[in-house]
Amino acid sequence: LLSLPVAALGAYLGVAVCGLENDIYFQIGLVMLGGLAAKNAILIVEFAKVQVDNGGDLVQSAIHAAQLRFRPILMTSLAFVLGMVLASGPGSASRQAIGTGVFFGMIFAIVFGIVLVPFFFVLIYKAKEKVQHKIKKD
């Protein structure tokens, strides 16, 4: 969930640069963007956690998971987003309004998320271990 603000920031900046409004279509796009960004982060964290549970180094597992999942994340995200932005025909204005926010949000989520998600994973995992160690000590 910590990667969602990065995606939302990208969406707001992209819509502002394109001169679009924060309307209901953009807000629907934010909901979709939240789902896509969370899915991408979950894929990275899931792979990293499996490697750590199997005895791997925490930092190396997070980096390896990000490398492993980069291509699938990039392909699924861009396929969806480009379909939204390149819309034409009846109702295309609404799809473009939704797609513009999602496009820029996903670009931010991909570029910054691929670095931040492993960082957040390591940070939270270490904090969790510290709390568990303190509980066992007490």
Side-chain angles (χ1 to χ4, degrees), residues 10-11 17 19 30 34-35 47 49-50 54 58 63 66 74 80-82 91 108 118 132-133 138:
V17 166
L30 280 178
F47 271 71
K49 184 164 179 0
V50 167
N54 289 334
L58 180 63
I63 292 170
L74 188 67
F80 172 75
V81 169
L82 289 175
F108 265 62
Q132 287 176 342
H133 179 69
D138 293 338

XYZ file of all heavy atoms in Angstrom, residues 10-11 17 19 30 34-35 47 49-50 54 58 63 66 74 80-82 91 108 118 132-133 138:
175
model
N 1.762 10.598 -9.616
C 1.975 10.586 -11.059
C 0.703 10.882 -11.826
O 0.721 11.610 -12.828
N -0.417 10.350 -11.364
C -1.699 10.592 -12.026
C -2.076 12.063 -11.942
O -2.478 12.669 -12.945
C -2.784 9.732 -11.401
N -0.543 18.371 -16.214
C 0.282 18.726 -17.372
C -0.549 18.699 -18.658
O -0.374 19.559 -19.536
C 1.491 17.767 -17.483
C 2.181 17.880 -18.832
C 2.473 18.036 -16.362
N -3.656 19.322 -18.873
C -4.725 20.306 -18.808
C -6.106 19.710 -18.638
O -7.103 20.364 -18.941
N -8.385 6.695 -10.838
C -7.571 6.550 -9.627
C -7.863 5.230 -8.917
O -6.950 4.595 -8.375
C -7.811 7.716 -8.667
C -7.091 9.010 -8.980
C -7.466 10.084 -7.969
C -5.592 8.817 -9.001
N -5.111 2.413 -8.388
C -4.802 1.805 -7.094
C -4.735 0.295 -7.180
O -3.840 -0.334 -6.610
N -5.664 -0.290 -7.892
C -5.658 -1.738 -8.068
C -4.450 -2.226 -8.842
O -3.808 -3.220 -8.466
N 7.096 -12.611 -4.269
C 8.298 -13.317 -4.693
C 9.425 -13.123 -3.680
O 10.154 -14.063 -3.368
C 8.745 -12.832 -6.078
C 8.117 -13.591 -7.208
C 6.776 -13.423 -7.503
C 8.858 -14.465 -7.966
C 6.186 -14.124 -8.535
C 8.281 -15.176 -9.007
C 6.936 -14.998 -9.294
N 9.172 -12.478 -0.441
C 8.864 -13.188 0.812
C 9.129 -14.680 0.675
O 9.653 -15.313 1.600
C 7.416 -12.947 1.220
C 7.087 -13.583 2.556
C 5.845 -13.056 3.150
C 5.477 -13.676 4.476
N 6.290 -14.684 5.055
N 8.795 -15.257 -0.450
C 9.059 -16.682 -0.673
C 10.561 -16.949 -0.601
O 11.002 -17.921 0.027
C 8.477 -17.147 -2.031
C 9.016 -18.508 -2.426
C 6.967 -17.164 -1.977
N 12.639 -19.085 2.295
C 13.487 -20.217 1.914
C 14.939 -20.014 2.322
O 15.813 -20.765 1.898
C 13.401 -20.477 0.412
C 12.064 -21.054 0.015
O 11.388 -21.696 0.813
N 11.659 -20.827 -1.226
N 17.662 -10.963 2.832
C 16.506 -10.076 2.725
C 16.659 -9.083 1.570
O 15.786 -8.970 0.711
C 16.295 -9.336 4.043
C 15.137 -8.364 4.111
C 13.817 -9.089 3.917
C 15.155 -7.626 5.435
N 15.648 -7.395 -4.207
C 16.187 -6.944 -5.501
C 15.897 -7.978 -6.585
O 15.478 -7.634 -7.699
C 17.704 -6.669 -5.389
C 17.936 -5.449 -4.494
C 18.328 -6.457 -6.762
C 19.380 -5.228 -4.118
N 12.256 -7.893 -7.650
C 11.967 -6.751 -8.526
C 12.472 -7.013 -9.939
O 11.797 -6.675 -10.915
C 12.597 -5.485 -7.958
N 5.694 -4.545 -16.407
C 5.751 -3.564 -17.490
C 4.781 -3.918 -18.605
O 4.020 -3.062 -19.073
C 7.184 -3.488 -18.031
C 7.488 -2.397 -19.018
C 7.405 -1.045 -18.331
C 8.876 -2.591 -19.605
N -2.599 -2.397 -20.742
C -3.869 -1.847 -20.276
C -3.927 -0.342 -20.493
O -4.907 0.191 -21.024
C -4.063 -2.167 -18.792
C -5.256 -1.481 -18.200
C -6.530 -1.932 -18.474
C -5.108 -0.377 -17.386
C -7.638 -1.293 -17.940
C -6.204 0.265 -16.848
C -7.469 -0.193 -17.131
N -2.884 0.345 -20.116
C -2.879 1.803 -20.144
C -2.903 2.329 -21.573
O -3.628 3.281 -21.888
C -1.658 2.333 -19.369
C -1.459 3.806 -19.578
C -1.829 2.034 -17.904
N -2.133 1.751 -22.451
C -2.122 2.218 -23.840
C -3.471 1.982 -24.505
O -3.894 2.768 -25.345
C -0.999 1.546 -24.623
C 0.399 2.009 -24.245
C 1.451 1.202 -24.998
C 0.586 3.494 -24.501
N -17.584 7.490 -27.029
C -17.194 7.349 -25.627
C -15.702 7.441 -25.387
O -15.241 7.176 -24.293
N 4.710 6.438 -13.295
C 5.353 6.720 -12.012
C 5.482 5.450 -11.177
O 6.521 5.204 -10.564
C 4.558 7.769 -11.235
C 5.044 9.173 -11.413
C 5.041 9.778 -12.650
C 5.506 9.891 -10.334
C 5.478 11.063 -12.832
C 5.952 11.185 -10.489
C 5.941 11.786 -11.736
N 10.734 -2.737 -3.279
C 11.715 -3.549 -2.547
C 12.260 -2.829 -1.306
O 12.477 -3.456 -0.266
C 12.833 -3.791 -3.564
C 12.173 -3.643 -4.879
C 11.119 -2.606 -4.693
N 9.119 -8.380 16.701
C 9.019 -9.770 17.136
C 10.124 -10.111 18.122
O 9.913 -10.823 19.100
C 9.056 -10.722 15.946
C 7.793 -10.727 15.138
C 7.882 -11.604 13.908
O 8.977 -11.960 13.461
N 6.740 -11.947 13.340
N 11.324 -9.591 17.876
C 12.452 -9.835 18.775
C 12.194 -9.193 20.134
O 12.470 -9.800 21.169
C 13.746 -9.301 18.160
C 14.941 -9.489 19.037
N 15.474 -10.726 19.297
C 15.701 -8.603 19.727
C 16.512 -10.605 20.101
N 16.671 -9.315 20.374
N 10.721 -9.710 25.910
C 9.888 -9.335 27.068
C 9.172 -10.534 27.548
O 8.989 -10.980 28.519
C 8.879 -8.240 26.713
C 9.564 -6.917 26.398
O 10.692 -6.724 26.840
O 8.932 -6.098 25.699
